[in-house]
Amino acid sequence: MEHVNEMPPTGKIHLDELTGIYNQQSFFDFTEQLLTEHPQESFCLIYWNIRKFRTTNDLFGWDAGNKILVHWANTLREMLRDELAVYGRLDHDNFVCCVTEEFLSRDDWTKLGEISYFTEKTEYHFYSCCGLYKITDRTLPLSNMIDKAKAAMETIKNNYMTLYAWYDESMWSKLLEEQRMNTEFKTAITEKQFKVYYQPICRSSDGLITSAEALIRWQHPTKGMISPGTFIPLFEKNGFISVLDRYVWNEVCAMQQSRLDQGLATVPVSVNVSRVEFYNPSLCDDIRNIAKNHNISPDLLKIEITESAYADNPVQVLEAVKKLHAYGFSVLMDDFGSGYSSLNMLKDLPIDVLKIDMRFLDDLEKSQKASIVLESIIRLAKWMKLSVVSEGVETQKEWEYLRSVECDAVQGYYFYRPMPQEDFIALLDKTAANSTNLLFHATQEIDESILNLFNQTNTMESILFYSMLGGMGLMEVSGNTVELLRVNKSFYEVLYGSTSFEHKILNMKFPAEEERILLEQCLIAKEESKIQQFQLHHHLDTGAYVWLSVKIRYLGGNSPRALFLIAVENIEELKQAEHNHFVSNYSNVLLKLFDRVYRFDYPTDTIELLHSRGDDFIEPQVQYSFASFFRHLATVTSANELDKLNIIKDRFALDETLRQIHENCLTIRYELTSNETVTDTTAYFFKVDLPDGGHQYLCCVKKLY
Ligand code: C2E
Ligand code: CA
Ligand code: CA
């Protein structure tokens, strides 16, 4: 047969630079020529696409990708050498050919479906799929014929078992429908025709709602409700999906924010991330920013990644999962078991939740094997500390089965269908109002027994709690304020130094500085979900300070409102003992240089002799009041020294003076008269910093002989 591709050109020939076969322009020119020159012959159009070509490029680089394209073109050339055919490369990894119908009746043309290619280092296997269109109406523009072959190809693009598909008219109407949807997309977004539906996910053991999944719907003005199965594959092809996904994430975060702002109950909501998002390097940051913009903590937004996305793009998906974790988001592996990846991938991919594909439940009735597989998956997940959600639960029987194999959570029509936001919110309100199903705007459920302790007054537990267990209280953090909702008697005594206790004390607040510390510690307790223990210098109403040891435990709830249990203990005595120990060590050292060391305690107006070396000083008592102590220093040597004496009487004046003096030490010289001997003496006043942040004033005395 005539070798059309080497036909003498009637015009300029345009070859594809990479592969050397015809490019789009020449393919059009020569195909039209072929059809005119052979009016009696029956021709078909073939449209090929190389499967997963993008992944090949990503994994092995552009060079390898190019080599594969060249190899593919060469194979095509080889195969069509003796045929009446025109072929070329349209763009990327898309090839076209116009060839006789007779050629397609032979089997060997399908060998283009799988091709191996060897380099020195690597052996590549790649697969293609194609659409076929029999040219029945030659008056159609060639571009239209190519579209038809392409439409046929699209129907099997994700079906790896099928090599080719013939075009039929229904595909054309689908294509038109798709084009229409594409042109309507922008308007649909701006007019908010896309609606987020929520499907609750329930705890297996009791059916309590613990989270939900956001599912998109298109409320079309003329066509009614369109399901995502219709438009998502389409928007994945042209990239609109990334706009749509972000729209959904924003809507979900806005819903969560409004619940929290009103102090209402909510649950975490998981959102779907399209497979094509993993080509977008800003994916994780986009998710984080959307959550941040709505003031939503990452535990209220979970991320669903479909299993096949991992099969397509393992490297990018792994990176994204790690990053999402670093940002605090949980990741769910969606449609697990539906596709091509094995259980093995679980050890490589650090996900948090497995969502088992609903097809498992369909197969359960039919085969025992399905239940064995399902049970092993659940067991494996348990070992790996993953929780498991089963999708598509439609009957009581399925639920019971899943409960019996300890699947953690269930989602499906048996419990709830996906519902509009208004219905979902109403459901949350209803569930929260029912105290047995308390959710308390919580990601972490609150252990109800704790609340009961505070609410009832005459049970054995509460008697214990109120009088014996030490100081305890229930504290709410809302925004930047910390409020005590309920406290027990000991708590009150510790904090107020008073025993006149009332059960319901509202608006108990901490001084601002202490509130700041508590807030900080609460955040850590929540974030790291552990008990925070620290010491607090608590300012009593009387003006005095006490040292408290404080423990805080996060109970549940989320910003801006979260609940904490607080336990307090007065450690003033302990602290005092520590002080004394430190000061007495310190003064022992000082005594090597001085003769006596005194401690000044301003709040109690006492001066205490800590250590003394000489025995020639008569010490009438070990503790003095300020007045009696200063009588000792009465005979100061000059007016200047008298001024200093007055400074020492006032703690604030002393602080100020010490700050200004270079050595941090105020010196007073005086004459000490005892047994009619006058001794020239110097007293040194210091302020000593203690390890716990407190201070001590010391006076060290040295005689000058
Ligand atoms: P999916 O993520 O596997 O979602 C679960 C699908 O199962 C939903 O279909 C849900 O309505 C359906 N379903 C739930 N319970 C049952 C049941 O008991 N029986 C049966 N037969 N089906 C049940 P839907 O809403 O049509 O969504 C289809 C798919 O579209 C989703 O599958 C997801 O892959 C995709 N999708 C939905 N919303 C979004 C979105 O916002 N972004 C992206 N990228 N994909 C989305
Ligand atoms: Ca999903
Ligand atoms: Ca799923």
Side-chain angles (χ1 to χ4, degrees), residues 97-108:
C97 164
C98 180
V99 68
T100 58
E101 196 180 6
E102 189 268 331
F103 170 75
L104 289 175
S105 66
R106 306 196 307 255
D107 272 350
D108 57 344

Side-chain angles (χ1 to χ4, degrees), residues 196-197 199 213-217 227-229 231-232 236 241 244-245 248-249 271-275 277 304 306 334-335 355 357-358 362 391-395 398 411-414 416-418:
V196 177
Y197 273 50
Q199 186 177 31
E213 176 178 4
L215 294 158
I216 190 75
R217 304 281 179 267
S227 90
F231 56 83
I232 284 190
E236 281 180 338
I241 189 67
L244 189 59
D245 275 349
V248 174
W249 308 338
V271 293
N272 290 284
V273 170
S274 158
R275 69 193 68 247
E277 296 283 357
E304 294 196 9
T306 175
D334 200 1
D335 308 326
K355 287 192 87 173
D357 194 72
M358 58 183 83
D362 295 341
E391 292 184 304
V393 182
E394 291 180 351
T395 64
E398 287 172 343
Q411 174 182 6
Y413 296 166
Y414 179 71
Y416 302 95
R417 287 180 177 258

